[in-house]
Amino acid sequence: MSKTVNQILQKKAEGKKISMLTCYDYSMAKVLSKTDLDIILVGDSLANVKLGMENTLPVTVENMIYHTQAVKRANPPSLLVCDMPFMSYEVGVKEALRNAGRIIKESGAQAVKVEGGSEIIEQVKALVKANIPVMGHLGLTPQAVNRFGGFKVQAKDKSAKEKIIEDAKMLQDAGAFSVVLEAIPELAAKEISQALSIVTIGIGAGKFCDGQVLVIDDMLGMFDDFKPKFVKRYANLSTIIEKAVNDYIDEVGAGKFPSEENTYK
Ligand code: KIV
């Protein structure tokens, strides 16, 4: 049985921190299923870390459904959230409903995540009204990379900070259960977290958020095209894999693999 949105909200009410990681495939989801992770996000960061794209803009609804289905097949006990890709919800309420409906029906996700505040508030209200739980995403919203002109810390001045606080409150009033705060100063994130009853999940937003999220390939040392300041590496799997592959190549070359124990008689 997967965790529910209500259980996540309850954790905030009890002052307990919420853990969230991205995941994009079955084998990793099986590993995560052995842990007490609260939320799995099938993030559109799959564009960068799994598909080798420069940014998240090319990802499609089909890509998101395909990867979320793979994660779902592992039956993870975490709440399963799927990102809505760029231009799958911005155009209007009808299109947002149609695409979010497909994601929930076809992928098995329990909630969707959307980037933005006041500009997409009607879409958020409509999704919630259609019984689709919504997680917002403010601050450095990667789908706005072309407007930002790169991946930069947001809300550095007073008016930008006020805009994020206002957007976060609008998302809460529209019925979102949670909001990701990405790359914003710690004190702004603290102010937002204290002002909201819904859950704030930080990534590069300091320790005062109700929970934290990292891209799993970043925290496991599987992706080093770029490493933002907020990433902590908990393992260096790419080095371990490289060594294993070199050992395999050497053993194949030396005729040591396959040995008796790997051979049918
Ligand atoms: O796509 C993603 O992985 C995300 C997280 C970084 C929050 O949106």
Side-chain angles (χ1 to χ4, degrees):
M1 179 73 186
S2 299
K3 296 190 189 199
T4 63
V5 163
N6 285 343
Q7 285 171 315
I8 303 299
L9 287 164
Q10 183 62 29
K11 275 195 103 166
K12 169 160 179 156
E14 290 168 5
K16 294 183 183 154
K17 292 283 186 183
I18 293 148
S19 53
M20 171 162 137
L21 283 172
T22 66
C23 182
Y24 319 92
D25 62 40
Y26 176 77
S27 57
M28 187 61 78
K30 287 284 275 187
V31 177
L32 296 185
S33 298
K34 295 178 188 160
T35 73
D36 192 30
L37 184 71
D38 290 311
I39 307 176
I40 288 179
L41 170 69
V42 183
D44 59 357
S45 53
L46 88 89
N48 310 101
V49 298
K50 295 296 173 200
L51 306 178
M53 293 166 172
E54 196 184 330
N55 56 47
T56 58
L57 305 188
V59 165
T60 64
V61 171
E62 281 69 27
N63 293 152
M64 296 310 302
I65 291 173
Y66 179 81
H67 284 269
T68 307
Q69 284 171 336
V71 171
K72 181 71 183 177
R73 283 183 204 115
N75 274 323
S78 320
L79 179 77
L80 184 55
V81 182
C82 176
D83 250 336
M84 291 196 70
F86 177 60
M87 291 315 285
S88 68
Y89 55 98
E90 291 89 336
V91 174
V93 165
K94 271 195 184 161
E95 209 161 313
L97 276 171
R98 201 167 292 124
N99 286 320
R102 274 197 67 199
I103 287 172
I104 297 292
K105 281 167 85 92
E106 296 176 36
S107 79
Q110 294 156 276
V112 295
K113 178 164 83 58
V114 289
E115 297 184 5
S118 55
E119 331 73 56
I120 54 151
I121 220 65
E122 291 312 316
Q123 287 89 320
V124 175
K125 283 183 193 162
L127 295 179
V128 173
K129 203 167 154 208
N131 298 314
I132 299 177
V134 176
M135 177 180 277
H137 186 156
L138 297 171
L140 198 180
T141 45
Q143 293 175 11
V145 58
N146 288 329
R147 176 162 59 85
F148 292 147
F151 299 103
K152 301 171 189 162
V153 179
Q154 302 297 307
K156 279 170 109 175
D157 62 52
K158 193 161 171 272
S159 74
K161 187 181 94 175
E162 278 164 5
K163 164 87 172 111
I164 290 195
I165 295 176
E166 196 182 300
D167 279 341
K169 286 186 177 153
M170 286 183 87
L171 286 169
Q172 170 168 279
D173 292 345
F177 74 97
S178 167
V179 59
V180 169
L181 302 174
E182 179 163 353
I184 64 172
E186 185 172 62
L187 291 182
K190 181 180 183 186
E191 205 176 313
I192 297 168
S193 302
Q194 288 174 346
L196 300 183
S197 56
I198 62 170
V199 166
T200 60
I201 306 276
I203 175 162
K207 60 176 180 276
F208 298 109
C209 295
D210 304 313
Q212 297 293 326
V213 58
L214 283 175
V215 169
I216 196 152
D217 294 64
D218 286 340
M219 61 89 79
L220 294 180
M222 285 284 291
F223 180 77
D224 52 17
D225 285 5
F226 54 88
K227 179 182 171 299
K229 176 181 164 68
F230 57 72
V231 168
K232 177 172 174 183
R233 289 224 199 290
Y234 286 81
N236 201 340
L237 290 196
S238 71
T239 310
I240 294 173
I241 293 169
E242 192 182 326
K243 180 177 176 325
V245 172
N246 279 327
D247 288 351
Y248 168 74
I249 294 168
D250 289 348
E251 288 200 2
V252 169
K256 280 193 185 163
F257 178 83
S259 66
E260 285 292 301
E261 69 176 304
N262 311 115
T263 304
Y264 297 113
K265 294 287 180 197

